[in-house]
Amino acid sequence: MSAFPQNYWYVAAWSKEVSRKLLSRTICGEPVVFYRTRDGRPVALADRCVHRRYPLSLGQLQDDSIECGYHGFVFDCSGTCTFVPGQDRVPRTARVPRYQLVERDKWIWIWIGDQDKADPDLVPDAHWLDDPEWASVEDMAYSPFRYSLLMDNLMDLSHETYLHAGLIGTPEIARTPFTTHVDDERNRVTFSRHMEAVECPPFYEKTTGFTTPIDRWQDVEFQPPAFWVNNVRVAPHGTPVGPNGDEGGAHVKILHGLTPETENTTWDFWAVVRDFALDDDSVGQSLLTMNQEVVQQDLDALTVLEKVVASEPPGTQELSVAIDAGGLAAREMLRKITR
């Protein structure tokens, strides 16, 4: 049994990463080679030649096909071998798996499981990345730890008070109760923390111009196995809320596509999108720089934690408390869909 849920969409790459140059990336333990056809369509094939398992990513493109760099076997964009050196007949079984892709909202999503079950309608909604009413900054972090550690981290934002003090964390986050909701029908775990008349951290003061006190909301949605959105509202204290419940002030959405590379390494595709100062590049640069610092702080802490967890004997117990409600719910949902 795979260590990861199979029949789901995972972020494989930013659209700008995939070009006419072969790109190698391991997704859920599977080596994959990505490229674009001459008409711009992204392609993903298993990154192993059927002959002697040499990585196809070390070969070269011939029109829309890959020529293996070891013995010259050629595979078209469907994964079918079209040329075998030294003979005219191509064995019927000479083909490599092709993975279904969806390119949407600046991301390329891959379906790593049963290819006949790939449904584009199941791709998580990240439309803010490509919506003219929002501006975004994006990056990716290669993370040398299991993706469950990052999921736990994102499902308990009380750590911002301590790990990210001076950037995005303030004392009120850890002190404020939150609500958690599990929707098994829609396969979602959500939690919300609404704070009033609290400190404005540099992350928002430098980009919105708001000063203390502010009203600050964190409404988080996790869509297992791999997609996380923090819907943030910040506003000067007392700013009226509109009829839809979230108008007034400024809005930020922090997105993470959590894609396992192996059982102990993770690709973290993240973005910060905003609905204010859309044409102000300095605001975007500030958000990019500060969130890179936040991500690096998480990366440093979780790299240490990976070593701790990996060295523990089987059956080691951990203590969970109220702040772990969202993370525990997400863990349980992941267990159900990994069976």
Side-chain angles (χ1 to χ4, degrees):
M1 179 181 294
S2 171
F4 314 107
Q6 292 291 290
N7 291 319
Y8 293 88
W9 293 102
Y10 290 90
V11 179
W14 288 102
S15 288
K16 60 188 176 185
E17 291 186 275
V18 178
S19 65
R20 292 287 293 169
K21 182 179 179 180
L22 298 175
L23 172 68
S24 176
R25 183 158 289 163
T26 298
I27 308 291
C28 295
E30 300 293 335
V32 183
V33 58
F34 298 87
Y35 67 96
R36 288 189 186 274
T37 61
R38 290 191 180 278
D39 64 5
R41 291 179 295 113
V43 174
L45 302 178
D47 193 14
R48 292 290 185 270
C49 179
V50 296
H51 178 230
R52 290 294 180 264
R53 315 308 293 155
Y54 195 71
L56 292 177
S57 56
L58 298 179
Q60 62 182 350
L61 281 179
Q62 288 189 350
D63 194 18
D64 287 341
S65 298
I66 300 179
E67 179 187 78
C68 179
Y70 191 13
H71 291 105
F73 282 60
V74 176
F75 300 87
D76 66 19
C77 57
S78 73
T80 301
C81 183
T82 60
F83 173 77
V84 174
Q87 63 185 62
D88 294 330
R89 187 184 69 84
V90 176
R92 180 176 55 82
T93 57
R95 59 183 302 112
V96 296
R98 176 180 179 173
Y99 296 99
Q100 297 293 321
L101 301 176
V102 171
E103 185 168 18
R104 187 179 299 168
D105 307 321
K106 296 186 180 180
W107 271 333
I108 294 177
W109 298 82
I110 188 169
W111 186 273
I112 209 71
D114 184 342
Q115 297 302 294
D116 291 334
K117 294 182 178 179
D119 182 353
D121 290 339
L122 299 179
V123 172
D125 179 17
H127 73 274
W128 311 281
L129 290 171
D130 210 20
D131 187 328
E133 295 185 2
W134 296 80
S136 67
V137 292
E138 308 106 18
D139 205 347
M140 177 182 68
Y142 178 73
S143 307
F145 44 79
R146 63 198 72 192
Y147 97 118
S148 61
L149 294 181
L150 186 52
M151 181 196 70
D152 284 347
N153 172 278
L154 293 172
M155 294 303 288
D156 173 18
L157 295 184
S158 67
H159 80 273
E160 290 183 345
T161 294
Y162 310 100
L163 194 59
H164 306 310
L167 279 170
I168 200 169
T170 64
E172 295 86 0
I173 300 174
R175 297 172 186 167
T176 303
F178 62 94
T179 60
T180 302
H181 177 68
V182 178
D183 186 338
D184 288 312
E185 185 174 340
R186 295 180 58 245
N187 198 35
R188 302 284 191 278
V189 178
T190 60
F191 69 85
S192 297
R193 177 185 282 110
H194 289 187
M195 298 163 279
E196 294 186 2
V198 298
E199 180 182 342
C200 187
F203 195 92
Y204 297 117
E205 184 176 8
K206 290 181 179 179
T207 54
T208 66
F210 299 158
T211 56
T212 303
I214 62 166
D215 296 337
R216 179 180 178 183
W217 297 1
Q218 295 174 330
D219 293 302
V220 172
E221 179 173 279
F222 180 60
Q223 182 176 345
F227 186 58
W228 184 94
V229 182
N230 182 9
N231 301 282
V232 178
R233 175 185 182 266
V234 291
H237 176 51
T239 300
V241 176
N244 293 325
D246 63 354
E247 293 94 336
H251 299 85
V252 170
K253 296 181 185 293
I254 303 175
L255 284 61
H256 286 266
L258 313 178
T259 302
E261 181 192 44
T262 68
E263 291 191 23
N264 300 98
T265 56
T266 305
W267 301 104
D268 179 11
F269 300 90
W270 62 261
V272 181
V273 296
R274 67 187 189 277
D275 69 353
F276 59 92
L278 301 185
D279 298 320
D280 191 334
D281 292 338
S282 66
V283 170
Q285 186 58 50
S286 292
L287 287 170
L288 177 64
T289 299
M290 287 189 288
N291 207 61
Q292 285 172 332
E293 291 183 59
V294 169
V295 169
Q296 186 63 49
Q297 289 172 341
D298 282 333
L299 193 152
D300 292 342
L302 297 180
T303 299
V304 170
L305 189 55
E306 171 65 33
K307 294 178 181 177
V308 172
V309 173
S311 66
E312 290 178 332
T316 299
Q317 297 296 309
E318 62 180 2
L319 174 68
S320 295
V321 294
I323 59 174
D324 301 306
L328 293 175
R331 287 184 187 184
E332 179 58 25
M333 191 167 284
L334 280 172
R335 276 194 289 268
K336 289 179 180 179
I337 66 176
T338 306
R339 292 170 184 164

Short mmCIF file of all heavy atoms in Angstrom, two decimals, residues 148 151-156 178 180-182 184 188-191 222 224 317-336 339:
data_model
loop_
_atom_site.label_atom_id
_atom_site.label_comp_id
_atom_site.label_asym_id
_atom_site.label_seq_id
_atom_site.Cartn_x
_atom_site.Cartn_y
_atom_site.Cartn_z
N SER A 148 3.44 15.28 6.76
CA SER A 148 2.51 15.33 7.88
C SER A 148 2.96 16.34 8.93
O SER A 148 2.12 16.93 9.62
CB SER A 148 2.37 13.94 8.52
OG SER A 148 3.62 13.47 9.01
N MET A 151 1.71 19.62 7.63
CA MET A 151 0.26 19.68 7.80
C MET A 151 -0.09 20.03 9.25
O MET A 151 -0.93 20.90 9.51
CB MET A 151 -0.38 18.35 7.43
CG MET A 151 -1.89 18.32 7.56
SD MET A 151 -2.55 16.64 7.57
CE MET A 151 -1.99 16.05 9.17
N ASP A 152 0.55 19.36 10.21
CA ASP A 152 0.32 19.68 11.62
C ASP A 152 0.63 21.15 11.90
O ASP A 152 -0.10 21.83 12.63
CB ASP A 152 1.21 18.82 12.52
CG ASP A 152 0.70 17.38 12.66
OD1 ASP A 152 -0.45 17.12 12.28
OD2 ASP A 152 1.46 16.54 13.16
N ASN A 153 1.72 21.63 11.33
CA ASN A 153 2.15 23.02 11.54
C ASN A 153 1.09 24.01 11.05
O ASN A 153 0.74 24.97 11.75
CB ASN A 153 3.47 23.24 10.80
CG ASN A 153 3.93 24.67 10.76
OD1 ASN A 153 3.48 25.44 9.91
ND2 ASN A 153 4.84 25.03 11.65
N LEU A 154 0.55 23.75 9.88
CA LEU A 154 -0.42 24.68 9.30
C LEU A 154 -1.80 24.58 9.95
O LEU A 154 -2.58 25.53 9.90
CB LEU A 154 -0.54 24.41 7.80
CG LEU A 154 0.71 24.73 6.97
CD1 LEU A 154 0.54 24.24 5.54
CD2 LEU A 154 1.01 26.22 6.98
N MET A 155 -2.07 23.45 10.58
CA MET A 155 -3.38 23.27 11.22
C MET A 155 -3.39 23.78 12.66
O MET A 155 -4.42 23.69 13.33
CB MET A 155 -3.79 21.80 11.17
CG MET A 155 -4.04 21.27 9.76
SD MET A 155 -5.29 22.21 8.84
CE MET A 155 -6.78 21.70 9.69
N ASP A 156 -2.29 24.29 13.15
CA ASP A 156 -2.23 24.89 14.48
C ASP A 156 -1.46 26.20 14.40
O ASP A 156 -0.24 26.22 14.57
CB ASP A 156 -1.58 23.93 15.48
CG ASP A 156 -1.34 24.59 16.84
OD1 ASP A 156 -1.98 25.63 17.11
OD2 ASP A 156 -0.52 24.07 17.62
N PHE A 178 -10.54 29.06 19.25
CA PHE A 178 -10.94 28.91 17.84
C PHE A 178 -11.94 27.78 17.74
O PHE A 178 -12.09 26.97 18.65
CB PHE A 178 -9.73 28.64 16.96
CG PHE A 178 -9.00 27.37 17.28
CD1 PHE A 178 -9.28 26.20 16.60
CD2 PHE A 178 -8.01 27.35 18.26
CE1 PHE A 178 -8.63 25.02 16.90
CE2 PHE A 178 -7.33 26.17 18.56
CZ PHE A 178 -7.64 25.00 17.88
N THR A 180 -13.40 24.50 15.33
CA THR A 180 -12.99 23.53 14.32
C THR A 180 -14.23 22.82 13.79
O THR A 180 -15.13 22.48 14.55
CB THR A 180 -12.02 22.50 14.91
OG1 THR A 180 -10.88 23.16 15.44
CG2 THR A 180 -11.57 21.50 13.84
N HIS A 181 -14.26 22.59 12.46
CA HIS A 181 -15.40 21.89 11.86
C HIS A 181 -14.88 20.85 10.88
O HIS A 181 -13.99 21.12 10.06
CB HIS A 181 -16.31 22.87 11.12
CG HIS A 181 -17.46 22.22 10.42
ND1 HIS A 181 -18.50 21.61 11.09
CD2 HIS A 181 -17.71 22.05 9.09
CE1 HIS A 181 -19.35 21.11 10.22
NE2 HIS A 181 -18.89 21.36 9.00
N VAL A 182 -15.43 19.66 10.97
CA VAL A 182 -15.07 18.56 10.06
C VAL A 182 -16.26 18.28 9.16
O VAL A 182 -17.37 18.00 9.63
CB VAL A 182 -14.69 17.30 10.84
CG1 VAL A 182 -14.37 16.16 9.87
CG2 VAL A 182 -13.49 17.57 11.75
N ASP A 184 -17.14 15.69 6.54
CA ASP A 184 -16.76 14.44 5.88
C ASP A 184 -17.36 14.32 4.48
O ASP A 184 -16.77 13.68 3.60
CB ASP A 184 -17.20 13.25 6.73
CG ASP A 184 -16.35 13.08 7.98
OD1 ASP A 184 -15.11 13.13 7.86
OD2 ASP A 184 -16.91 12.92 9.07
N ARG A 188 -13.38 18.12 4.02
CA ARG A 188 -12.76 19.38 4.43
C ARG A 188 -12.60 19.40 5.95
O ARG A 188 -13.44 18.87 6.68
CB ARG A 188 -13.61 20.59 4.03
CG ARG A 188 -13.93 20.74 2.56
CD ARG A 188 -12.75 21.24 1.76
NE ARG A 188 -13.17 21.62 0.43
CZ ARG A 188 -13.33 20.77 -0.58
NH1 ARG A 188 -13.14 19.48 -0.37
NH2 ARG A 188 -13.71 21.20 -1.78
N VAL A 189 -11.54 20.06 6.40
CA VAL A 189 -11.38 20.42 7.80
C VAL A 189 -11.17 21.93 7.84
O VAL A 189 -10.30 22.45 7.13
CB VAL A 189 -10.19 19.71 8.46
CG1 VAL A 189 -10.03 20.17 9.92
CG2 VAL A 189 -10.34 18.20 8.40
N THR A 190 -11.96 22.64 8.62
CA THR A 190 -11.83 24.08 8.72
C THR A 190 -11.68 24.48 10.18
O THR A 190 -12.16 23.80 11.09
CB THR A 190 -13.05 24.81 8.13
OG1 THR A 190 -14.23 24.41 8.84
CG2 THR A 190 -13.23 24.48 6.65
N PHE A 191 -10.99 25.59 10.40
CA PHE A 191 -10.99 26.19 11.73
C PHE A 191 -10.91 27.70 11.60
O PHE A 191 -10.39 28.23 10.61
CB PHE A 191 -9.87 25.63 12.63
CG PHE A 191 -8.47 26.01 12.23
CD1 PHE A 191 -7.89 27.21 12.65
CD2 PHE A 191 -7.69 25.14 11.49
CE1 PHE A 191 -6.59 27.55 12.31
CE2 PHE A 191 -6.38 25.47 11.15
CZ PHE A 191 -5.84 26.67 11.56
N PHE A 222 -8.61 23.19 5.05
CA PHE A 222 -7.69 22.16 4.58
C PHE A 222 -8.47 21.13 3.79
O PHE A 222 -9.45 20.56 4.28
CB PHE A 222 -6.99 21.49 5.76
CG PHE A 222 -6.03 20.41 5.37
CD1 PHE A 222 -4.94 20.69 4.56
CD2 PHE A 222 -6.21 19.10 5.81
CE1 PHE A 222 -4.04 19.69 4.19
CE2 PHE A 222 -5.32 18.09 5.45
CZ PHE A 222 -4.23 18.40 4.65
N PRO A 224 -7.85 17.73 2.27
CA PRO A 224 -6.92 16.61 2.15
C PRO A 224 -6.91 16.04 0.73
O PRO A 224 -7.94 16.07 0.05
CB PRO A 224 -7.48 15.59 3.15
CG PRO A 224 -8.23 16.42 4.14
CD PRO A 224 -8.86 17.50 3.32
N GLN A 317 4.72 8.02 22.48
CA GLN A 317 3.47 8.75 22.62
C GLN A 317 3.72 10.26 22.61
O GLN A 317 4.78 10.73 23.01
CB GLN A 317 2.79 8.37 23.94
CG GLN A 317 2.39 6.90 24.01
CD GLN A 317 1.34 6.54 22.98
OE1 GLN A 317 0.32 7.21 22.86
NE2 GLN A 317 1.59 5.48 22.23
N GLU A 318 2.74 11.01 22.11
CA GLU A 318 2.79 12.46 22.16
C GLU A 318 1.54 12.97 22.88
O GLU A 318 0.51 12.30 22.89
CB GLU A 318 2.86 13.06 20.75
CG GLU A 318 1.65 12.75 19.88
CD GLU A 318 1.73 13.35 18.48
OE1 GLU A 318 2.75 13.98 18.16
OE2 GLU A 318 0.77 13.18 17.72
N LEU A 319 1.67 14.15 23.45
CA LEU A 319 0.55 14.77 24.15
C LEU A 319 -0.17 15.73 23.22
O LEU A 319 0.46 16.56 22.57
CB LEU A 319 1.06 15.54 25.38
CG LEU A 319 0.02 16.37 26.14
CD1 LEU A 319 -0.99 15.45 26.82
CD2 LEU A 319 0.70 17.29 27.15
N SER A 320 -1.48 15.62 23.15
CA SER A 320 -2.29 16.54 22.36
C SER A 320 -3.21 17.32 23.29
O SER A 320 -3.71 16.78 24.30
CB SER A 320 -3.12 15.81 21.31
OG SER A 320 -2.28 15.20 20.35
N VAL A 321 -3.45 18.59 22.94
CA VAL A 321 -4.30 19.47 23.75
C VAL A 321 -5.30 20.15 22.82
O VAL A 321 -5.40 19.82 21.62
CB VAL A 321 -3.45 20.51 24.52
CG1 VAL A 321 -2.58 19.81 25.56
CG2 VAL A 321 -2.58 21.33 23.57
N ALA A 322 -6.03 21.12 23.34
CA ALA A 322 -7.12 21.74 22.59
C ALA A 322 -6.66 22.36 21.27
O ALA A 322 -7.37 22.30 20.26
CB ALA A 322 -7.81 22.79 23.45
N ILE A 323 -5.47 22.97 21.25
CA ILE A 323 -5.01 23.64 20.03
C ILE A 323 -4.75 22.65 18.89
O ILE A 323 -4.58 23.07 17.74
CB ILE A 323 -3.73 24.46 20.28
CG1 ILE A 323 -2.60 23.57 20.80
CG2 ILE A 323 -4.01 25.62 21.24
CD1 ILE A 323 -1.27 24.30 20.93
N ASP A 324 -4.73 21.36 19.21
CA ASP A 324 -4.45 20.34 18.19
C ASP A 324 -5.70 19.82 17.50
O ASP A 324 -5.60 18.91 16.67
CB ASP A 324 -3.71 19.17 18.83
CG ASP A 324 -2.40 19.59 19.46
OD1 ASP A 324 -1.59 20.21 18.75
OD2 ASP A 324 -2.20 19.31 20.66
N ALA A 325 -6.86 20.40 17.79
CA ALA A 325 -8.11 19.87 17.25
C ALA A 325 -8.11 19.80 15.73
O ALA A 325 -8.50 18.80 15.13
CB ALA A 325 -9.30 20.69 17.75
N GLY A 326 -7.68 20.87 15.09
CA GLY A 326 -7.67 20.89 13.63
C GLY A 326 -6.69 19.88 13.05
O GLY A 326 -7.00 19.16 12.10
N GLY A 327 -5.49 19.81 13.64
CA GLY A 327 -4.50 18.88 13.15
C GLY A 327 -4.91 17.43 13.34
O GLY A 327 -4.70 16.59 12.46
N LEU A 328 -5.52 17.12 14.49
CA LEU A 328 -5.97 15.75 14.72
C LEU A 328 -7.09 15.36 13.76
O LEU A 328 -7.15 14.23 13.28
CB LEU A 328 -6.42 15.60 16.18
CG LEU A 328 -5.32 15.72 17.23
CD1 LEU A 328 -5.93 15.67 18.63
CD2 LEU A 328 -4.27 14.63 17.07
N ALA A 329 -7.99 16.32 13.48
CA ALA A 329 -9.06 16.05 12.52
C ALA A 329 -8.51 15.80 11.13
O ALA A 329 -8.97 14.90 10.40
CB ALA A 329 -10.05 17.21 12.51
N ALA A 330 -7.50 16.58 10.75
CA ALA A 330 -6.87 16.39 9.44
C ALA A 330 -6.16 15.05 9.38
O ALA A 330 -6.21 14.35 8.35
CB ALA A 330 -5.90 17.53 9.16
N ARG A 331 -5.48 14.68 10.45
CA ARG A 331 -4.82 13.37 10.48
C ARG A 331 -5.82 12.23 10.27
O ARG A 331 -5.56 11.29 9.51
CB ARG A 331 -4.12 13.17 11.83
CG ARG A 331 -2.86 13.97 12.06
CD ARG A 331 -2.26 13.56 13.40
NE ARG A 331 -1.12 14.38 13.80
CZ ARG A 331 -0.40 14.15 14.90
NH1 ARG A 331 -0.72 13.12 15.68
NH2 ARG A 331 0.62 14.93 15.22
N GLU A 332 -6.94 12.32 10.96
CA GLU A 332 -7.95 11.26 10.85
C GLU A 332 -8.51 11.19 9.44
O GLU A 332 -8.72 10.09 8.89
CB GLU A 332 -9.07 11.49 11.86
CG GLU A 332 -10.19 10.46 11.80
CD GLU A 332 -9.73 9.04 12.02
OE1 GLU A 332 -8.68 8.83 12.67
OE2 GLU A 332 -10.41 8.11 11.53
N MET A 333 -8.76 12.34 8.83
CA MET A 333 -9.28 12.34 7.46
C MET A 333 -8.26 11.75 6.50
O MET A 333 -8.62 11.00 5.57
CB MET A 333 -9.67 13.77 7.06
CG MET A 333 -10.46 13.85 5.77
SD MET A 333 -11.22 15.47 5.53
CE MET A 333 -12.61 15.37 6.69
N LEU A 334 -6.98 12.04 6.72
CA LEU A 334 -5.94 11.47 5.87
C LEU A 334 -5.86 9.95 6.05
O LEU A 334 -5.66 9.21 5.08
CB LEU A 334 -4.60 12.10 6.20
CG LEU A 334 -4.34 13.48 5.57
CD1 LEU A 334 -3.05 14.07 6.13
CD2 LEU A 334 -4.25 13.38 4.06
N ARG A 335 -6.03 9.48 7.29
CA ARG A 335 -6.00 8.03 7.51
C ARG A 335 -7.11 7.35 6.72
O ARG A 335 -6.93 6.28 6.16
CB ARG A 335 -6.14 7.74 9.01
CG ARG A 335 -4.83 7.80 9.78
CD ARG A 335 -4.97 7.17 11.15
NE ARG A 335 -5.78 8.00 12.04
CZ ARG A 335 -5.29 8.93 12.85
NH1 ARG A 335 -4.00 9.18 12.86
NH2 ARG A 335 -6.09 9.63 13.62
N LYS A 336 -8.28 7.98 6.70
CA LYS A 336 -9.42 7.37 6.01
C LYS A 336 -9.19 7.27 4.51
O LYS A 336 -9.57 6.28 3.88
CB LYS A 336 -10.69 8.20 6.28
CG LYS A 336 -11.20 8.10 7.70
CD LYS A 336 -12.44 8.98 7.89
CE LYS A 336 -12.98 8.90 9.31
NZ LYS A 336 -14.16 9.77 9.50
N ARG A 339 -6.34 4.51 3.29
CA ARG A 339 -6.57 3.08 3.44
C ARG A 339 -6.74 2.38 2.09
O ARG A 339 -7.33 2.94 1.19
CB ARG A 339 -7.83 2.83 4.30
CG ARG A 339 -7.63 3.27 5.75
CD ARG A 339 -8.93 3.27 6.50
NE ARG A 339 -8.77 3.78 7.86
CZ ARG A 339 -9.77 4.16 8.65
NH1 ARG A 339 -11.02 4.09 8.22
NH2 ARG A 339 -9.54 4.62 9.85
#
